[in-house]
Amino acid sequence: MKAIPFSYIARNLWVRRVTTLLTAGGMALVVFVFATVLMMSEGIRATLVATGQPDNVLVLRKGAGAEINSGISREQAAIVESLPGIATNGKGERLVSKEPVVLNNLPKRSNGKPSNVTVRGTSALGLELRPQVKLVQGRMFRPGTSEIITGKSIASGFRGTDLGETLHFAQRDWVVVGVFDSGKTGFDSEIWGNAEQMMAAFRRNAYSTMVFRLADKSAFEKTKTAIDTDQRLQIEAKPEIQFYAEQSEALATFIRILGLSLSIIFSIGAIVGAMITMFAAVAQRVGEIGTLRALGFRRSAVLIAFLFESLLLSLVGGCIGLFAASWMQAVDISTTNFQTFSELAFQFKLTPEIAVQTIVFSLFMGFVGGFIPSWQAARMKIVDCLRAS
């Protein structure tokens, strides 16, 4: 079967470049929304997954979905701390951090509106367990004092949380002595202070969670079995990276479903726009179609040519939309984590998989919008076309 040259197809789009750009622009807007939603979902997932360390184990009360509604007594914490197989640091200290985690309401710098912020009690060992966390300003808080350090997203987004400022909560004044960067993970949205001071200030008798590092991460199942079979412990252990991956699921899934639903609704308009453009192209080129058929091009060649024209139009729109969406990676945004009801800062993240999905979505719109006009063009009779011209 003789095919119509691709250069001919592309030239037809260039000849109608104003219409082409308008239609491609409409598709680009839909593609931009589609890609941005996927990037937002992936950004949340990547932020929380990167928060965990593969060789760390996190312990929660059984049935607790998040750290803020978990509770581990001091007696249970002592039992976990004495388990075999826990790694030690250069000083011979067991790498275990017992941490209270609470929510605190703070006003935003931008508009003064309050939002929940995660406050974590930890220690120097807690910092050692999170090698991605680096102090970028100031110093570490001193044990036994009302000093705190703040994640860089908190320091830039909330009043009273920057270096040298003072926060008042839990009936105390807390001085910010340091700002840390956790490498775009969930810890950037937290405030850290001394665990025992936090316990006393918030009148807590139990820790919220424990984190420890295994000397051999392949021994996790053995450690988990030891915890599960001890009747004194009504707690469960998970790899830290798994815990934070689970934390991302609810929010990321909600954003993905809502965003994709909107994208599908918007895509109907884009498909109709592409269909109108292609119907107009067919109506303007009736004589051309008759000439092509008279020169020996079969109906299928005409159908494929017009369909390729529609696909090329959608590809242009898809590339424009994807290029525009890629710039969203430079934007910092925050939202409320459904699991903890606290502020979570993250960035949009574009991956090769998202780029492929976006282009496929764009081509699908072009195929659906261009098939009926292409079919109509292919079904035209040579005599009718030449008579109309």
Side-chain angles (χ1 to χ4, degrees):
M1 180 187 72
K2 187 163 61 171
I4 297 174
F6 181 78
S7 58
Y8 171 82
I9 298 170
R11 183 186 63 81
N12 284 321
L13 286 178
W14 177 251
V15 169
R16 306 189 321 277
R17 49 187 173 272
V18 175
T19 305
T20 297
L21 285 174
L22 288 174
T23 305
M27 287 188 161
L29 289 174
V30 178
V31 168
F32 174 82
V33 173
F34 180 84
T36 300
V37 166
L38 295 182
M39 289 166 60
M40 181 182 293
S41 176
E42 179 62 23
I44 291 170
R45 192 198 66 79
T47 295
L48 287 174
V49 169
T51 303
Q53 292 292 308
D55 50 353
N56 284 356
V57 177
L58 189 139
V59 180
L60 297 169
R61 175 179 56 80
K62 280 187 177 179
E67 292 175 300
I68 58 169
N69 53 27
S70 172
I72 299 173
S73 69
R74 291 182 182 273
E75 293 76 16
Q76 291 173 326
I79 294 170
V80 173
E81 195 172 10
S82 65
L83 288 172
I86 295 179
T88 57
N89 61 13
K91 300 177 183 177
E93 298 172 310
R94 288 191 150 221
L95 290 174
V96 180
S97 182
K98 298 167 286 189
E99 302 177 342
V101 180
V102 297
L103 294 182
N104 190 34
N105 205 259
L106 296 178
K108 292 188 174 182
R109 289 191 187 277
S110 58
N111 52 26
K113 292 183 178 178
S115 184
N116 286 333
V117 171
T118 299
V119 179
R120 182 182 300 273
T122 186
S123 62
L125 288 174
L127 190 63
E128 199 169 340
L129 282 163
R130 284 110 177 187
Q132 74 272 39
V133 177
K134 307 291 182 186
L135 280 167
V136 292
Q137 294 182 54
R139 59 174 174 81
M140 182 64 172
F141 58 79
R142 292 172 298 181
T145 65
S146 298
E147 295 178 343
I148 54 176
I149 58 176
T150 58
K152 67 173 188 177
S153 296
I154 295 296
S156 62
F158 289 85
R159 297 176 182 176
T161 58
D162 207 354
L163 184 65
E165 294 184 317
T166 301
L167 275 178
H168 183 81
F169 60 86
Q171 300 179 344
R172 287 195 195 182
D173 287 329
W174 303 80
V175 180
V176 181
V177 296
V179 176
F180 62 86
D181 181 356
S182 67
K184 299 177 182 177
T185 68
F187 292 134
D188 278 340
S189 302
E190 294 187 356
I191 295 173
W192 290 5
N194 178 256
E196 292 303 322
Q197 291 298 308
M198 291 290 180
M199 293 274 282
F202 286 99
R203 300 177 183 178
R204 294 277 179 118
N205 296 318
Y207 302 105
S208 301
T209 183
M210 290 183 68
V211 181
F212 62 86
R213 179 171 298 162
L214 290 172
D216 178 9
K217 64 181 179 182
S218 63
F220 170 73
E221 290 300 329
K222 182 179 178 181
T223 303
K224 178 176 171 57
T225 300
I227 291 174
D228 292 342
T229 55
D230 193 325
Q231 296 301 314
R232 297 169 297 174
L233 302 176
Q234 296 301 311
I235 58 178
E236 59 180 332
K238 295 180 180 180
E240 191 181 35
I241 198 166
Q242 177 189 331
F243 169 76
Y244 282 108
E246 291 172 355
Q247 292 285 292
S248 71
E249 285 303 314
L251 181 57
T253 300
F254 171 77
I255 289 175
R256 187 181 292 264
I257 291 174
L258 177 62
L260 293 183
S261 300
L262 290 173
S263 296
I264 291 171
I265 293 170
F266 294 157
S267 71
I268 295 173
I271 289 171
V272 171
M275 193 176 293
I276 291 171
T277 299
M278 293 309 299
F279 270 128
V282 171
Q284 292 171 2
R285 292 155 59 191
V286 172
E288 218 174 285
I289 295 169
T291 302
L292 289 171
R293 296 282 286 114
L295 290 173
F297 291 101
R298 302 180 66 179
R299 295 180 187 275
S300 56
V302 173
L303 185 146
I304 291 171
F306 276 90
L307 194 55
F308 263 60
E309 194 172 312
S310 180
L311 290 172
L312 185 58
L313 179 66
S314 65
L315 181 62
V316 171
C319 290
I320 294 172
L322 185 60
F323 175 76
S326 68
W327 288 94
M328 293 298 292
Q329 294 179 101
V331 177
D332 291 316
I333 192 171
S334 62
T335 187
T336 300
N337 187 342
F338 288 171
Q339 294 292 101
T340 62
F341 301 102
S342 63
E343 193 87 3
L344 174 68
F346 66 95
Q347 286 185 314
F348 294 87
K349 185 176 178 62
L350 179 60
T351 63
E353 291 79 9
I354 291 176
V356 170
Q357 291 171 10
T358 300
I359 295 300
V360 169
F361 176 68
S362 177
L363 292 174
F364 173 77
M365 288 193 295
F367 179 84
V368 174
F371 184 78
I372 295 177
S374 301
W375 178 262
Q376 183 192 56
R379 300 304 299 170
M380 288 181 176
K381 296 179 180 179
I382 299 175
V383 176
D384 293 339
C385 289
L386 294 177
R387 185 182 295 124
S389 65

